[in-house]
């Protein structure tokens, strides 16, 4: 079984500030990890994913995430927030074997202040 | 062309009614999903089909019945609608089997409101 915990249901930053969205996972097998973004009134779209290649993963719109096995974390960062980054962000985990059910975290709402 | 499309976008109906939501993907993917997103944005998988075969069926009331006429379509029929069914329903697709490293592509969602 696997699970995902996103710390903080809301994160508020100023435009130009660092964005850090936290995700911790638990999985009995090596996981695949994803970050998806949901803009208002839209479906989810992939930002980036970890598939056991490089531990530092770069995604779209300047986001990146680092897989840290020792900390069971996959935090999402962006050096400088833009107003257009305001959205809901979901971390998700899929096992690399066994049950194929993907599990999503409860989401973090990113608020960007001018 | 929209990769994953859903109809209708909005659905308002009375308790006890039966309704359907349709989903189509033109990505040539083998696997399709239905998710329910509640008012707190929590996203929960309901069903997954691979090549028209049901492979994931989470603890969903049997009032919900998915149907996949072909691998490009996955429809969701809901009988005897209840207030608690009000949510946004997302269809998604991915290339391979459910889970794994494949990216899921989501539709725009169907906002169901049960009065």
């Amino acid at each position: 079984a696997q699970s995902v915990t996103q710390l903080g249901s809301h994160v508020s930053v100023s435009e130009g500030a660092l964005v850090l969205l936290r995700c911790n996972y638990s999985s009995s097998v090596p996981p695949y990890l994803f970050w998806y973004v949901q803009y208002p009134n839209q479906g989810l779209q992939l930002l980036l994913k970890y598939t056991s290649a490089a531990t530092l993963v770069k995604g779209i719109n300047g986001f990146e995430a680092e897989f840290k096995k020792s900390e069971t974390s996959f935090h999402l960062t962006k050096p400088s927030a833009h107003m257009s980054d305001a959205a809901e962000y979901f971390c998700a985990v899929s096992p690399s074997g066994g049950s194929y059910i993907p599990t999503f975290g409860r989401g973090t709402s990113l608020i960007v202040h001018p | 062309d929209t990769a994953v499309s859903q109809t209708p976008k909005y659905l308002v109906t009375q308790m006890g009614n039966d309704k359907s939501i349709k989903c189509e993907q033109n990505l040539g993917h083998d696997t399709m999903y239905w998710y329910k997103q509640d008012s707190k944005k929590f996203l929960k998988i309901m069903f997954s089909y691979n090549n028209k075969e049901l492979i994931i069926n989470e603890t969903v009331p049997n009032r919900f019945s998915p149907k996949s006429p072909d691998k490009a379509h996955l429809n969701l029929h809901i009988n005897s609608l209840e207030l608690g069914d009000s949510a946004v329903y997302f269809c998604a697709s991915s290339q391979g089997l459910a889970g794994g490293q494949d990216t899921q592509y989501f539709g725009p969602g169907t906002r169901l409101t049960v009065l």
Side-chain angles (χ1 to χ4, degrees), chain A residues 35-96:
Chain A
W35 276 100
Y36 286 85
V37 60
Q38 183 181 24
Y39 297 106
N41 299 312
Q42 294 185 27
L44 283 71
Q45 63 185 85
L46 183 74
L47 270 180
L48 50 80
K49 63 181 177 182
Y50 167 75
T51 58
S52 74
T55 56
L56 182 61
V57 182
K58 294 188 185 298
I60 61 171
N61 301 339
F63 284 93
E64 63 181 38
E66 186 172 8
F67 172 68
K68 291 187 177 180
K69 184 177 178 181
S70 60
E71 298 177 8
T72 60
S73 68
F74 191 57
H75 302 331
L76 182 70
T77 61
K78 181 174 180 177
S80 176
H82 193 272
M83 296 295 290
S84 60
D85 294 327
E88 194 82 18
Y89 291 80
F90 293 91
C91 183
V93 59
S94 285
S96 57

Side-chain angles (χ1 to χ4, degrees), chain B residues 24-92:
Chain B
E24 176 182 3
Q25 55 96 2
N26 63 8
L27 297 167
H29 287 167
D30 290 335
T31 303
M32 296 185 72
Y33 312 76
W34 277 111
Y35 285 88
K36 179 181 180 180
Q37 186 176 51
D38 64 22
S39 58
K40 295 185 177 178
K41 302 280 187 177
F42 181 52
L43 197 66
K44 183 171 171 54
I45 191 167
M46 300 173 68
F47 302 103
S48 179
Y49 272 72
N50 178 263
N51 275 320
K52 303 193 297 176
E53 182 178 338
L54 181 66
I55 55 170
I56 292 174
N57 183 352
E58 287 295 273
T59 51
V60 176
N62 58 16
R63 298 183 294 104
F64 290 78
S65 53
K67 284 192 170 48
S68 182
D70 55 61
K71 76 173 193 177
H73 295 84
L74 180 61
N75 304 323
L76 183 65
H77 187 76
I78 316 170
N79 290 325
S80 304
L81 278 155
E82 300 177 356
L83 293 177
D85 298 332
S86 295
V88 180
Y89 292 84
F90 286 101
C91 178

